[in-house]
Amino acid sequence: MHVIRLPDGTLLVPHSVLSDAGESGPEARGEQIIADAYVEIGPDDPDYERLLPGSVTAEEMEAARRRWRDEDAELARLFEEWEAGNAQEE
């Protein structure tokens, strides 16, 4: 997860959240649910200056996601070619 810089200058910072599932859910079986969430912080937060330089805009994050999908598609194609070549050898 990345720190996202909003147009108004606030930051969305990843924050792990531990959820109690209740007696009928996973906790009743001794399990815990961990989820990722974002917390919004402003310039008055003590961590703001430290996190600002590494933050990305929502547009930059979306561009990275598109690039990852494109690269994943190429990698999947290469793997399928490799797998087909190995299947013929067997």
Side-chain angles (χ1 to χ4, degrees):
M1 295 180 74
H2 292 70
V3 175
I4 300 173
R5 186 176 57 255
L6 300 177
D8 67 358
T10 58
L11 302 177
L12 290 178
V13 180
H15 178 71
S16 293
V17 178
L18 182 61
S19 173
D20 293 331
E23 302 237 355
S24 62
E27 189 158 301
R29 296 186 304 268
E31 299 173 7
Q32 297 175 329
I33 298 172
I34 298 177
D36 290 317
Y38 282 94
V39 175
E40 190 171 326
I41 66 169
D44 57 334
D45 189 282
D47 290 319
Y48 185 86
E49 292 299 322
R50 179 179 62 85
L51 296 170
L52 182 61
S55 66
V56 295
T57 65
E59 293 80 14
E60 291 168 330
M61 191 67 211
E62 183 55 35
R65 283 188 189 111
R66 278 194 305 275
R67 187 177 69 248
W68 296 332
R69 279 193 301 269
D70 293 345
E71 291 170 0
D72 284 352
E74 176 64 11
L75 184 59
R77 184 188 64 75
L78 290 171
F79 175 75
E80 289 168 0
E81 288 176 5
W82 173 83
E83 189 176 42
N86 283 340
Q88 293 173 357
E89 292 175 10
E90 292 177 0

